[in-house]
Amino acid sequence: MKKFVLGLATLATLGFTSCDSDDDGGTPVVTNNVTAPDTYVFERGAASTVSFGGQTTRIQMAQEIVSGLVNTANTELALDNMFAHVENANDFTDADLNASDKSVRSKVAASTDYFAANTTDANVIKSTFDLYIEDQVNTVFPNWATTATSGVAGQIQQAGGGSIRYVNGKGLEYNQAFAKSLIGALMVDQILNNYLSTAVLDAGDNVANNNADVLDGDNNYTTMEHKWDEAYGYLYGNEDNPAVPLLEADKFLSEYLAKVDGDDDFSGIALDVFNAFKLGRAAIVAKDYDVRDAQAEIIRAKISQVIAVRGVYYLQQGKAKLGTDMASAFHALSEAYGFIYSLQFTRKPGTTEPYLTKDEVLLLTDELMTGNGFWDITPATLDTISDTISAEFSFTTAQAGS
């Protein structure tokens, strides 16, 4: 899935007019009178102005939490502590993560635009992740060696001696539901509804300070520059070289942007997102906030589409395995469940609304869990849910499901 990045810096300039280099790194291109570098390199006084260490930390914490959900040696308390980490607690295998004052839970459903005035929903969403942990430890772990059947948690093996999946009584893999729901509740929400929000970018004196190149304390960036970079970090923060991202650097948004880009029907979406991030950041340097905001809208549309495409894709993959390989079907449908849950954090460009509301999303996830859940689900129901999602976007179920 990394093939698209070959020659990324060159591809990034296609369709634009080149001009001379500037201090922002690389050979810039011109769009709307704002110059964007080939790579995500921005400097002031020959030193980088890009910083998103907190985002990298949370991505790495999230990866260890998801891995911990399939380690039966973990207690509920241990997993809870990983999720709601406090500084210097010995929750992770990585000493740097243990020393950090960051946590995953604190940033779940925590965007300014969606949840600053809606703490009730935010708390319910956080408690949903708590419940995944609780049920995994108290329901699935005790039945780790039990063969799962309808209504009974346990293990189920994919056809041909494939992977063993560990599910609850309705066939749901909690680790998959947790991971894919977290893509929306953490990465998507923080990018689309927090750090790219004008309420965050333009808060307080940010515009005046950015116009005057007033730096944020002792840092080499303005506050506005830093907020944009923090959005960038939730997608590219785990890359070896974030300035030239390869994608699939983590198991969250990075991986699934690459997977959607690898589908011929959506080829180019990864480059569109990367270019919009670069141009928006360059617009901040150039003090052109109209161009900045236009790029934020592109990112909102494209990243929202990634969530929807993968939701439909996994619904259709699950449908194809029903009746022949139930473990594979349950695995795909568990991933679909998480992506559908994540749709409530998407953002329609030009609005402060998701493509599907919380209530609409919960109706769909409840439909997946009706009765005995995946054990009883029908192809017709999966098609109906798929069509409901794709109808909100500019693609068809057939395009996303292949």
Side-chain angles (χ1 to χ4, degrees):
M1 296 304 298
K2 295 182 179 178
K3 293 180 180 178
F4 86 94
V5 302
L6 297 177
L8 180 61
T10 301
L11 288 171
T13 66
L14 294 180
F16 301 108
T17 304
S18 296
C19 67
D20 294 335
S21 293
D22 65 7
D23 292 336
D24 291 331
T27 302
V29 295
V30 176
T31 302
N32 297 323
N33 299 316
V34 176
T35 58
D38 284 343
T39 60
Y40 201 86
V41 173
F42 297 90
E43 297 179 339
R44 179 176 285 109
S48 176
T49 63
V50 178
S51 175
F52 42 74
Q55 286 63 44
T56 301
T57 293
R58 287 191 174 91
I59 289 170
Q60 293 174 355
M61 286 178 170
Q63 292 197 142
E64 193 162 338
I65 295 166
V66 172
S67 295
L69 284 167
V70 290
N71 180 353
T72 57
N74 281 321
T75 64
E76 182 182 351
L77 180 60
L79 290 166
D80 285 342
N81 287 344
M82 292 169 72
F83 187 40
H85 174 73
V86 296
E87 187 174 5
N88 293 322
N90 191 31
D91 299 322
F92 299 97
T93 58
D94 187 311
D96 290 337
L97 297 184
N98 289 330
S100 175
D101 62 353
K102 312 298 182 187
S103 80
V104 174
R105 193 180 194 277
S106 66
K107 291 298 183 180
V108 165
S111 65
T112 295
D113 285 354
Y114 277 13
F115 298 105
N118 188 11
T119 56
T120 298
D121 280 353
N123 288 333
V124 169
I125 291 165
K126 292 177 193 292
S127 69
T128 297
F129 288 89
D130 296 335
L131 184 62
Y132 291 153
I133 292 172
E134 178 184 346
D135 282 0
Q136 180 75 349
V137 172
N138 296 316
T139 302
V140 180
F141 280 5
N143 289 288
W144 208 246
T146 301
T147 299
T149 56
S150 181
V152 178
Q155 63 169 259
I156 182 169
Q157 187 170 27
Q158 293 180 195
S163 298
I164 296 174
R165 304 299 177 182
Y166 299 92
V167 300
N168 73 358
K170 296 195 175 195
L172 180 68
E173 285 183 88
Y174 282 122
N175 60 312
Q176 293 300 323
F178 188 105
K180 275 54 180 186
S181 297
L182 194 64
I183 293 173
L186 178 63
M187 289 80 180
V188 173
D189 188 48
Q190 285 292 301
I191 294 171
L192 308 191
N193 308 315
N194 195 62
Y195 289 118
L196 298 187
S197 165
T198 55
V200 172
L201 292 169
D202 295 348
D205 296 328
N206 287 1
V207 174
N209 288 343
N210 194 70
N211 287 339
D213 291 320
V214 175
L215 303 186
D216 183 354
D218 295 331
N219 299 299
N220 194 37
Y221 49 69
T222 69
T223 300
M224 188 186 297
E225 290 170 342
H226 185 49
K227 297 304 180 185
W228 189 274
D229 292 339
E230 288 182 292
Y232 187 86
Y234 270 117
L235 176 52
Y236 305 112
N238 208 41
E239 296 276 351
D240 290 336
N241 180 9
V244 188
L246 302 179
L247 296 185
E248 297 188 281
D250 59 60
K251 295 297 184 181
F252 300 106
L253 189 55
S254 176
E255 176 176 353
Y256 292 99
L257 176 58
K259 288 187 181 300
V260 173
D261 188 80
D263 183 331
D264 289 344
D265 288 309
F266 306 99
S267 179
I269 190 172
L271 192 57
D272 289 342
V273 172
F274 181 60
N275 282 340
F277 266 115
K278 289 193 296 98
L279 185 56
R281 181 58 158 79
I284 292 173
V285 175
K287 285 74 172 172
D288 190 329
Y289 306 121
D290 289 337
V291 171
R292 178 201 70 179
D293 293 345
Q295 303 318 299
E297 297 290 21
I298 291 170
I299 294 166
R300 287 182 176 123
K302 300 295 183 178
I303 288 181
S304 295
Q305 187 177 55
V306 168
I307 301 305
V309 168
R310 291 312 285 186
V312 173
Y313 172 83
Y314 284 120
L315 287 171
Q316 293 300 306
Q317 292 298 302
K319 184 185 79 168
K321 296 295 186 179
L322 285 178
T324 59
D325 184 353
M326 296 302 280
S328 293
F330 291 176
H331 180 62
L333 294 176
S334 296
E335 293 185 275
Y337 185 98
F339 277 108
I340 293 168
Y341 189 83
S342 287
L343 286 169
Q344 65 187 294
F345 307 101
T346 59
R347 179 82 167 259
K348 292 181 182 179
T351 77
T352 56
E353 300 174 356
Y355 282 85
L356 279 85
T357 67
K358 171 183 68 73
D359 290 342
E360 290 171 331
V361 163
L362 294 180
L363 283 174
L364 298 181
T365 54
D366 286 350
E367 192 167 2
L368 288 172
M369 292 288 99
T370 297
N372 287 314
F374 298 156
W375 293 98
D376 294 343
I377 203 77
T378 66
T381 296
L382 297 177
D383 281 339
T384 298
I385 296 173
S386 296
D387 292 343
T388 297
I389 296 168
S390 59
E392 297 293 327
F393 291 82
S394 58
F395 62 82
T396 66
T397 293
Q399 288 174 311
S402 60

